[in-house]
Amino acid sequence: MNNNNHIYPKPHIEEIAVPVEYIASSSLPLPFGKFAMHGFIDHLTGKEHIALTIGDIVGDSVMTRLHSECLTGDALFSMRCDCGYQLQEALKQIALEGRGILLYLRQEGRGIGLLNKIKAYHLQDEGADTVEANEKLGFSADQRNYNMAADMLNHLQVSSVRLLTNNPHKVEELRNYGIPVLEQLSLQVGENIHNHDYLVTKARQMNHLLDI
């Protein structure tokens, strides 16, 4: 375990032995319960990710949430999306389960980054839906991948998961990276007048399991 507080430079790809490296762990008391926080760095992207765990997660059938960073929803309480609502509900359900893990992945704006997300929001203000906005900026509807999530789960010795998600792509991605998904658990919270059309688009165009 490396506890040094220094910057980890992004290496050349050919020098990478372990793409996702575990750095350190600490306790993290939350309103929902006392979690442990585990830090990782993805040397392929230079991004830092964390895992929040509660209980003994080694083994099978671990309740798991893959949560992509959303500054506007998670930290600023935006009502344009359902991200912040899902984050809190997932932590609550994992704490009630007494055993589980939430991976907080630095993939803002479905992978396009914060500033591009603001550009996408501007296009949505002018009438585009969330898919059209991304495509007008030259991106796909969802730029994310979950290879780092599989590496993090493997490090934490999670053998199989019950995945808290409405997004079937996350299920497919984890299975493609060798993580068995035993069950997909819907996480539908936070619908309001500001995000209704956004959720409809995710259901109709991205096949999210949402009852809108």
Side-chain angles (χ1 to χ4, degrees):
M1 183 169 66
N2 190 336
N3 290 317
N4 295 329
N5 294 319
H6 60 78
I7 296 173
Y8 292 83
K10 183 178 178 181
H12 294 297
I13 299 299
E14 61 270 21
E15 296 175 355
I16 296 173
V18 180
V20 177
E21 180 186 359
Y22 165 75
I23 302 300
S25 297
S26 70
S27 64
L28 189 71
L30 298 175
F32 319 99
K34 187 175 182 180
F35 284 75
M37 178 169 61
H38 314 272
F40 296 81
I41 184 165
D42 183 348
H43 290 298
L44 292 174
T45 62
K47 296 288 182 68
E48 299 167 339
H49 310 285
I50 64 170
L52 298 177
T53 67
I54 195 166
D56 181 5
I57 60 167
V58 174
D60 293 314
S61 193
V62 180
M63 182 178 283
T64 300
R65 165 74 178 166
L66 309 185
H67 190 89
S68 295
E69 177 182 36
C70 177
L71 175 69
T72 50
D74 299 341
L76 301 177
F77 317 113
S78 169
M79 299 173 71
R80 292 188 69 139
C81 63
D82 55 344
C83 303
Y85 303 101
Q86 287 187 318
L87 176 61
Q88 293 193 47
E89 181 63 23
L91 289 170
K92 182 189 302 181
Q93 289 193 29
I94 290 168
L96 287 172
E97 178 89 355
R99 175 179 184 253
I101 177 169
L102 183 142
L103 301 186
Y104 196 86
L105 307 173
R106 307 296 297 279
Q107 301 194 100
E108 180 77 49
R110 296 203 301 274
I112 68 175
L114 178 60
L115 298 184
N116 282 321
K117 183 168 86 168
I118 296 172
K119 293 178 182 179
Y121 275 176
H122 176 73
L123 292 172
Q124 291 172 47
D125 290 341
E126 295 182 335
D129 65 37
T130 183
V131 171
E132 293 168 341
N134 272 28
E135 292 174 345
K136 286 183 178 182
L137 292 173
F139 300 108
S140 63
D142 193 337
Q143 295 273 126
R144 293 171 294 181
N145 71 73
Y146 298 95
N147 60 313
M148 84 294 283
D151 287 345
M152 293 164 73
L153 291 170
N154 284 327
H155 174 85
L156 295 167
Q157 300 180 60
V158 174
S159 303
S160 62
V161 302
R162 293 154 52 231
L163 198 61
L164 283 164
T165 186
N166 302 320
N167 186 352
H169 180 62
K170 290 183 180 180
V171 175
E172 179 183 357
E173 281 278 292
L174 276 190
R175 287 175 174 163
N176 287 342
Y177 286 113
I179 304 294
V181 179
L182 305 183
E183 186 178 5
Q184 181 177 354
L185 305 171
S186 180
L187 195 63
Q188 184 168 335
V189 289
E191 181 184 358
N192 61 70
I193 61 171
H194 303 285
N195 66 22
H196 175 79
D197 290 345
Y198 163 82
L199 295 177
V200 168
T201 299
K202 288 208 297 184
R204 291 181 178 172
Q205 297 193 48
M206 304 173 73
N207 298 318
H208 285 218
L209 299 181
L210 292 167
D211 182 17
I212 303 297

